[in-house]
Amino acid sequence: TRNVPDELRFQSEAAIYGGDGVGKPLGIIVAPGLVTFARTDASKVQYPDIAAMYARRLGNGPFVWLINRGVMPQLMQLAGTYQYVWLPPGGAVSGPNAQLLGFPVVEVEYAPAMGTLGDIVLADLSKYQTITKGGVESASSIHVKFINDETAFRFVYRIAGAPMLSSAVTPYKGSSMGHFVALTAAS
């Protein structure tokens, strides 16, 4: 009962980030409404990449930068040249909870490795909808593994979800925009 809620939360969040939509939520990095931008250099995150992602966001909602931990050193290097892009709170001594172009930066364990689609995503999570059916169902049985003197546990949690937009939005003049913007591999 202590560890299962944490694991269910992790699996749900991982599916919301990258799930295929089959028996789980449709992830933001595989959804048809994801706006992608080809990064300048496959092994780096550079200021032009960040600026291009920022420009492709739809609206001014409560965006956050969701990043793989491997992206953080790249963002920290932006501070040397572009001092107003990466803003660590109180300097490098204070620790995490920084901002990038005014939006919070959040390290997420389920983001893919540096250099792949989804390693850094600009997301308006208020534009992702989920629905659950009931709460967590749990059951145990001493009969399943009776011969081994073991008890079997089963937990069921039903959740579905998808981004609110099924495709990117193309403004009257300009490039496509969306609630979720990600870098792809270098072209």
Side-chain angles (χ1 to χ4, degrees):
T1 57
R2 285 190 327 232
N3 297 328
V4 169
D6 290 338
E7 184 62 23
L8 289 174
R9 183 173 23 272
F10 176 84
Q11 293 297 330
S12 298
E13 289 174 355
I16 288 169
Y17 199 82
D20 61 11
V22 179
K24 63 179 84 68
L26 178 63
I28 60 177
I29 66 169
V30 296
L34 177 71
V35 174
T36 58
F37 180 80
R39 69 181 71 228
T40 308
D41 185 329
S43 62
K44 295 181 180 178
V45 174
Q46 298 179 339
Y47 181 69
D49 300 332
I50 299 298
M53 291 176 72
Y54 185 84
R56 304 286 293 276
R57 78 194 190 293
L58 181 60
N60 292 315
F63 282 90
V64 296
W65 298 92
L66 303 173
I67 66 166
N68 177 288
R69 183 164 290 201
V71 173
M72 188 61 81
Q74 297 289 318
L75 297 181
M76 289 177 173
Q77 292 177 23
L78 293 178
T81 306
Y82 306 98
Q83 294 182 14
Y84 301 106
V85 178
W86 166 258
L87 298 174
V93 176
S94 295
N97 304 320
Q99 292 190 352
L100 182 60
L101 295 177
F103 298 129
V105 176
V106 181
E107 293 178 358
V108 291
E109 189 176 349
Y110 27 81
M114 173 69 188
T116 58
L117 174 66
D119 64 346
I120 180 168
V121 174
L122 180 58
D124 180 352
L125 297 174
S126 71
K127 303 301 183 192
Y128 189 93
Q129 55 192 356
T130 60
I131 187 168
T132 60
K133 182 178 180 183
V136 177
E137 297 174 16
S138 63
S140 63
S141 173
I142 61 170
H143 306 292
V144 175
K145 295 281 190 170
F146 176 78
I147 198 158
N148 296 335
D149 198 24
E150 295 178 6
T151 301
F153 296 93
R154 180 185 70 198
F155 298 91
V156 177
Y157 181 62
R158 292 179 178 89
I159 182 171
M164 290 182 180
L165 292 178
S166 59
S167 65
V169 174
T170 304
Y172 175 62
K173 294 183 179 180
S175 300
S176 60
M177 302 170 80
H179 297 128
F180 304 98
V181 182
L183 289 180
T184 62
S187 55

